[in-house]
Amino acid sequence: FLTGWPGRCSGSDLPNDLFRIIFQRLFGLPLTCLTQVHNASFVNNRGNQAQSVDRYGKSLTGAKLPGDTDRFRHDKMKILVHQVLTVSGCGSQVEPVHVFGDLMSAETRLAEQRLNTRVGIQPDILLRVTADDDEIGEIKGVGNCVSNMSRATRDPTATQYAVTRRERDVKTEYIRKANAIDRRQGHGDSAARGDPPQSEWGPVRTRLNEYKVLGLAFGAHGELSPDLVALTKRCASAAASRRRHELPIGGLRSLEGLIRWQYSCRLGMAAQRAHAEHLRDRIAIALPGCAQNRATNPAANVDAFGRGGLPDVME
């Protein structure tokens, strides 16, 4: 809670509507921004199922809907992680195409550009905290939806279980994607499943084994995955070593702790803000009379007090 406290240390000023969404979520209260659309029906494109809006926004958050709200949430966190790495003096490249691109045929690269045929193995970030040690960082958002929260409650003794699970899934997903591309290019049995023995790996799977994959997951309450927490520690250590002679701090460990606290605040607050914006932008979908394909219209936003965003503002 404290590492996500809004303020100057977070590096962002919250408008009133996002502030109320974040704090109502933190205390487990019904969201007042959903007052006008409570029980409104919308179509979940995942199975074309009709669903209704609940008081906590879990159905809206977890549904597959038109618009780019998921990508907006993802890209904001990706850019922030890139900035943290850059400020710390660490190497960082956003969406590097050279990691696996030279191993793909022209046909495979063309298929990766189409949404309906892509496997999606291009990393979000290629980072280097220490010399000659490149790592792949994959950004993932864990929404405050029913599926993620039910997974968390299955093991109540595990802290931050939802983001930890998502972190683990990232690493198995990369292995599956690498094998899928290799099999598409004729390496191995196309009907095979799972990860083959190392002697049967294709070129993409072999290249993947040269990198450590980090699952950088963030949750709606500002929780961070263990890989992301460990990355903030390493970045803080690198930044403290670079700037120890520039700042009037007693010792290296004190400076490292201060920088780490600032990074945690910024990432935690940014995660909460990104998830709150994601929900706010989806409220237009559930408004009576609003077309789902206009969900990203900024005029359709409803504020945290339940005002605005009625169908008559849809131009």
Side-chain angles (χ1 to χ4, degrees), residues 5-210:
W5 189 267
R8 294 187 180 276
C9 64
S10 67
S12 62
D13 296 324
L14 285 174
N16 290 337
D17 57 348
L18 298 181
F19 185 87
R20 287 182 66 91
I21 290 174
I22 289 173
F23 268 76
Q24 286 168 352
R25 273 181 165 172
L26 286 173
F27 289 105
L29 300 174
L31 303 181
T32 53
C33 63
L34 299 176
T35 301
Q36 291 186 351
V37 296
H38 179 232
N39 287 330
S41 297
F42 65 95
V43 178
N44 185 349
N45 290 348
R46 186 178 289 109
N48 292 325
Q49 299 176 347
Q51 289 187 264
S52 60
V53 179
D54 62 276
R55 295 183 182 276
Y56 302 91
K58 294 183 179 181
S59 56
L60 273 179
T61 301
K64 183 179 180 181
L65 299 171
D68 287 332
T69 54
D70 289 310
R71 182 172 61 85
F72 294 155
R73 176 181 61 177
H74 171 274
D75 288 352
K76 288 176 182 177
M77 291 302 298
K78 176 175 65 179
I79 295 303
L80 179 56
V81 172
H82 170 70
Q83 291 174 346
V84 167
L85 287 163
T86 304
V87 168
S88 303
C90 305
S92 176
Q93 299 180 52
V94 177
E95 296 186 359
V97 297
H98 65 277
V99 176
F100 302 108
D102 61 321
L103 303 176
M104 299 182 189
S105 63
E107 181 181 357
T108 301
R109 287 197 297 270
L110 182 61
E112 284 297 292
Q113 297 176 6
R114 303 192 188 104
L115 291 177
N116 59 339
T117 58
R118 65 181 302 179
V119 175
I121 198 172
Q122 180 171 305
D124 285 327
I125 296 177
L126 182 67
L127 57 99
R128 176 180 292 182
V129 179
T130 58
D132 302 325
D133 188 16
D134 289 342
E135 299 170 279
I136 291 175
E138 189 71 13
I139 307 296
K140 294 297 180 182
V142 180
N144 186 35
C145 56
V146 174
S147 60
N148 289 327
M149 294 304 104
S150 62
R151 293 171 185 169
T153 55
R154 290 174 190 169
D155 187 2
T157 61
T159 59
Q160 303 179 340
Y161 185 76
V163 290
T164 303
R165 180 189 179 97
R166 192 66 188 93
E167 173 192 301
R168 293 199 302 264
D169 290 345
V170 164
K171 300 170 184 180
T172 57
E173 286 170 4
Y174 258 87
I175 294 175
R176 176 180 56 80
K177 292 175 180 179
N179 287 321
I181 291 179
D182 281 334
R183 289 161 184 160
R184 177 184 289 179
Q185 298 185 134
H187 300 281
D189 185 2
S190 59
R193 295 292 182 268
D195 192 25
Q198 186 170 357
S199 58
E200 300 178 11
W201 284 355
V204 178
R205 178 67 180 90
T206 303
R207 175 74 60 80
L208 175 63
N209 197 51
E210 299 174 4

Side-chain angles (χ1 to χ4, degrees), residues 247-306:
L247 301 174
I249 304 296
L252 181 62
R253 295 191 63 181
S254 298
L255 178 59
E256 181 179 335
L258 176 61
I259 295 175
R260 178 188 167 194
W261 175 76
Q262 291 178 332
Y263 286 169
S264 298
C265 285
R266 292 203 63 183
L267 289 169
M269 189 66 254
Q272 293 177 75
R273 176 168 185 154
H275 280 287
E277 289 176 340
H278 175 257
L279 174 64
R280 183 194 62 185
D281 293 341
R282 285 187 160 203
I283 292 175
I285 299 170
L287 287 173
C290 293
Q292 289 199 17
N293 61 5
R294 303 181 70 181
T296 57
N297 189 336
N301 290 339
V302 180
D303 67 20
F305 301 94

